[in-house]
Amino acid sequence: MDPQIASIEPKLKEILYRCLEEIKATKAALYLMGEPENLYMLVTQYGPRTLWRREIPPKDDVIERLVVKRSPFFVNSLTEDPRFSELLFNSDSTRMLVTPIYSRGKLVGLIDMRDKAGKVQFTSSDLQQAHKITEQFLEVFTENGLYGQRKVALVQPPQTPAARPAVADNQAAPAIDTPASTALLIEKSKRAVSSGLLRSRSGTETLNEAQVAAAGLILPSILSLPGVVMAAFSSFGKLGGYQAVVATARVTEEALEQFQAKLRAWLQKREEPERLTRTMITYPHGTAGTPIEPHRLISMLSAPVQARSLKGLVLTAAFEMPPSPHTKNELTTFLRQIQQMADYSIAHERLQSLNQRIAERLLEPDFQNFPALVAHSRRVADLAERFGNHLGLDSAEIETLRVAGLVHDVGMRLLDYRNLYRKTTPTAEELKILREHPVVSAAIVAQSPLGSDVANVVLLHHERVDGTGYPNGLRGEAIPLASRILHICEAYDAMTATDSYQAALPPASALAKIKRAGGTQFDETLAAKFSEMLVSSPA
């Protein structure tokens, strides 16, 4: 073991025990990169030492999964993922949670946890706790100058600055005092968060149409219950609401009117709003069956959906025969699933809204000084979101991409942006300053509520797959997927934008340059996919 690592092993083990305290993992081990590089060595553990491998090679399934996805994962049975079945079996384990430790864009270690107390499964909430534990390890690395982590005083203590003189549009801006400007920016962000300026101004009381449709995706499964011919998920509010309906066959107007009348009567008894502005009916199994007429609606059951901070949500099922107690229990299960989907839908929207507010505050606190920088950032964010959707990324990955696109250049304005950005032939010293913007941007983002995931994408968005990028000279898939995507989007906008520092290229010429640079500057596969997206859907 490296002597410096050995000297802090007690501190590392103390942090590792938080896996037991906070996640209830009965066994856990910490692996860190050793010699040769990329070979991950066992540093400390609790639980039987014979359980753990002494070292993990870079081509191991666990390492490859962490490098590709760059996020923690869990497996809750021997058969859930064949890649890890043998590993679990040989170590006499049935459940595993693994979280990566990244430093400056490189996988430098991992935490391997096994078998929660009480034989319960690992859950997504455990992933959040695991991420917090990795942050604690990184703090120790920073204190000891390990794995590229070091204390950098980017921000000086806030001072009361003299008023800055106004600058006319045709005048060069005075040099920016970078440390003081950074300090003011961070202080402004802290005040905004503490004052509630970044929080939603009012709680959400109802779902919108898209959210109702999303939460209603579970409805077709309810039609499998004995006797159910119709099911609905409704969101009622004072100004109206939306309703998603599914049925086993075509619903006549009379039957739909009866269905809605019974639902309104149920709501009236509860003294709740009852007005709908739109009903969306779908037929998952087609309309070939016997039409649903009023006489087939023998019984109806409605129940409120108890979602967080939401009112007026109702799940309704119509039966052509009285439901049995077992069927009612099954319907309760579906009710809980609808509740979870409604919670997720509103939480996701709130997160997007909060991220947008934070990003806007970081992007341009005054919303006027650097319109070209703001416009470029918003175009890159839109392009990155489109590209993420084209690649089939999940919603969380796309949201990270979009927000990283918005804030990828926030550090520019602290580096004499007004004077340097439009220079076609900057000096070597000026180029050196400009190349610092990913580090400065990432430092600002990391100290904001957007956190380290977005900051890491920002830090590495100028890395090149051939290893000649900056700031870390990473190669290939060592560069996060989101950073590789952002690099392409940022370069394309810089080449085609009319307000850029260089003459704008036609879109076709810019795409040709990106494809030619595939395999050197850009990820070759992503460059081809990007061209495919813009050719098929240029708008």
Side-chain angles (χ1 to χ4, degrees):
M1 185 185 301
D2 181 276
Q4 193 172 6
I5 295 290
S7 68
I8 61 172
E9 193 269 343
K11 179 62 175 177
L12 298 177
K13 190 158 192 170
E14 177 186 334
I15 296 173
L16 188 67
Y17 267 112
R18 290 172 188 168
C19 297
L20 176 61
E21 296 167 354
E22 300 171 17
I23 302 178
K24 310 303 181 188
T26 59
K27 301 175 279 287
L30 171 67
Y31 291 85
L32 294 177
M33 183 183 291
E35 297 293 342
E37 190 172 284
N38 294 337
L39 193 64
Y40 299 89
M41 313 296 295
L42 177 64
V43 171
T44 189
Q45 87 294 322
Y46 65 84
R49 189 176 182 88
T50 55
L51 170 72
W52 308 107
R53 295 178 286 177
R54 294 181 59 187
E55 58 189 41
I56 305 178
K59 293 299 183 181
D60 184 82
D61 286 331
V62 171
I63 302 299
E64 291 187 341
R65 168 67 172 75
L66 295 177
V67 168
V68 171
K69 294 292 186 178
R70 302 183 69 86
S71 59
F73 68 95
F74 55 77
V75 177
N76 279 318
S77 74
L78 290 173
T79 58
E80 184 175 326
D81 192 325
R83 291 175 296 176
F84 309 117
S85 298
E86 185 177 355
L87 175 63
L88 288 169
F89 179 80
N90 289 341
S91 60
D92 195 26
S93 304
T94 55
R95 296 179 177 86
M96 172 175 71
L97 188 156
V98 182
T99 186
I101 304 174
Y102 273 93
S103 175
R104 298 184 67 82
K106 179 179 290 187
L107 180 67
V108 300
L110 61 112
I111 310 170
D112 185 347
M113 292 172 247
R114 305 290 177 88
D115 299 333
K116 284 185 72 170
K119 298 184 178 180
V120 299
Q121 296 188 341
F122 290 111
T123 66
S124 56
S125 64
D126 295 325
L127 300 182
Q128 298 170 6
Q129 291 297 327
H131 180 72
K132 293 178 181 178
I133 293 171
T134 63
E135 293 290 333
Q136 294 168 4
F137 282 120
L138 288 172
E139 289 175 8
V140 175
F141 297 162
T142 300
E143 292 170 1
N144 292 273
L146 295 169
Y147 299 112
Q149 295 287 321
R150 59 185 183 274
K151 294 181 180 179
V152 181
L154 290 176
V155 182
Q156 291 182 345
Q159 303 172 2
T160 304
R164 183 173 294 172
V167 180
D169 290 340
N170 59 353
Q171 291 180 328
I176 296 176
D177 180 357
T178 300
S181 298
T182 306
L184 287 173
L185 174 69
I186 299 302
E187 283 304 301
K188 250 182 140 177
S189 298
K190 288 180 179 178
R191 287 198 301 272
V193 173
S194 61
S195 67
L197 187 61
L198 302 185
R199 292 193 290 270
S200 176
R201 297 186 184 273
S202 61
T204 301
E205 294 189 349
T206 58
L207 295 179
N208 60 34
E209 183 176 349
Q211 291 169 327
V212 169
L217 291 174
I218 197 68
L219 290 176
S221 300
I222 298 178
L223 297 180
S224 64
L225 295 179
V228 175
V229 292
M230 290 178 65
F233 174 61
S234 312
S235 175
F236 295 94
K238 295 178 181 178
L239 301 178
Y242 303 96
Q243 183 182 66
V245 179
V246 295
T248 56
R250 186 180 64 83
V251 180
T252 66
E253 291 185 12
E254 296 79 9
L256 181 59
E257 184 176 338
Q258 178 174 308
F259 180 89
Q260 303 290 27
K262 290 185 176 181
L263 178 55
R264 285 195 299 271
W266 182 84
L267 289 164
Q268 288 169 358
K269 288 181 180 179
R270 297 171 60 88
E271 297 182 350
E272 294 184 9
E274 58 182 75
R275 182 169 172 263
L276 288 172
T277 55
R278 185 173 179 196
T279 295
M280 303 161 280
I281 303 180
T282 57
Y283 300 98
H285 309 302
T287 59
T290 304
I292 298 173
E293 297 181 357
H295 70 272
R296 293 187 62 187
L297 304 182
I298 301 299
S299 177
M300 274 181 56
L301 291 178
S302 293
V305 178
Q306 303 293 341
R308 289 191 298 266
S309 304
L310 298 174
K311 300 177 182 178
L313 303 183
V314 182
L315 177 64
T316 306
F319 298 81
E320 61 180 352
M321 63 183 184
S324 67
H326 176 73
T327 298
K328 291 180 181 179
N329 288 336
E330 289 292 316
L331 193 59
T332 300
T333 299
F334 285 116
L335 179 66
R336 286 197 294 267
Q337 292 175 344
I338 286 277
Q339 178 175 308
Q340 291 170 356
M341 293 186 75
D343 276 339
Y344 172 81
S345 180
I346 198 64
H348 181 66
E349 181 165 293
R350 283 179 175 173
L351 176 62
Q352 285 187 315
S353 176
L354 180 61
N355 283 346
Q356 181 74 23
R357 288 169 182 263
I358 295 169
E360 291 283 3
R361 288 284 167 180
L362 292 180
L363 183 64
E364 182 51 64
D366 299 322
F367 294 98
Q368 60 185 1
N369 292 338
F370 305 106
L373 178 62
V374 174
H376 166 70
S377 299
R378 288 180 175 153
R379 289 193 302 265
V380 171
D382 290 343
L383 201 54
E385 184 176 16
R386 283 180 59 199
F387 196 17
N389 279 305
H390 181 75
L391 293 170
L393 302 184
D394 64 38
S395 59
E397 292 171 318
I398 293 171
E399 173 66 2
T400 297
L401 255 182
R402 184 186 69 82
V403 175
L406 274 173
V407 300
H408 74 284
D409 277 349
V410 294
M412 276 287 201
R413 66 180 184 278
L414 302 180
L415 300 173
D416 205 8
Y417 170 83
R418 191 191 299 272
N419 289 328
L420 297 181
Y421 183 65
R422 293 191 179 278
K423 280 200 171 185
T424 55
T425 55
T427 66
E429 185 61 28
E430 289 169 338
L431 276 176
K432 184 179 179 181
I433 292 173
L434 286 174
R435 285 167 67 96
E436 293 295 331
H437 83 268
V439 175
V440 177
S441 298
I444 294 170
V445 174
Q447 295 180 71
S448 81
L450 296 178
S452 59
D453 288 344
V454 175
N456 194 51
V457 176
V458 170
L459 175 67
L460 304 174
H461 79 275
H462 274 293
E463 299 287 351
R464 297 168 52 121
V465 296
D466 62 1
T468 62
Y470 57 91
N472 293 335
L474 300 182
R475 289 177 174 271
E477 292 190 358
I479 307 167
L481 174 62
S483 297
R484 284 178 273 149
I485 291 172
L486 197 59
H487 187 31
I488 292 174
C489 297
E490 198 269 347
Y492 177 81
D493 184 75
M495 286 189 281
T496 57
T498 56
D499 59 359
S500 178
Y501 60 90
Q502 58 189 4
L505 291 178
S509 299
L511 279 179
K513 290 188 72 171
I514 287 174
K515 289 192 72 174
R516 284 198 299 273
T520 54
Q521 180 175 355
F522 307 113
D523 182 301
E524 187 171 11
T525 301
L526 290 178
K529 290 284 187 181
F530 184 77
S531 177
E532 172 189 285
M533 177 189 76
L534 289 189
V535 169
S536 62
S537 179

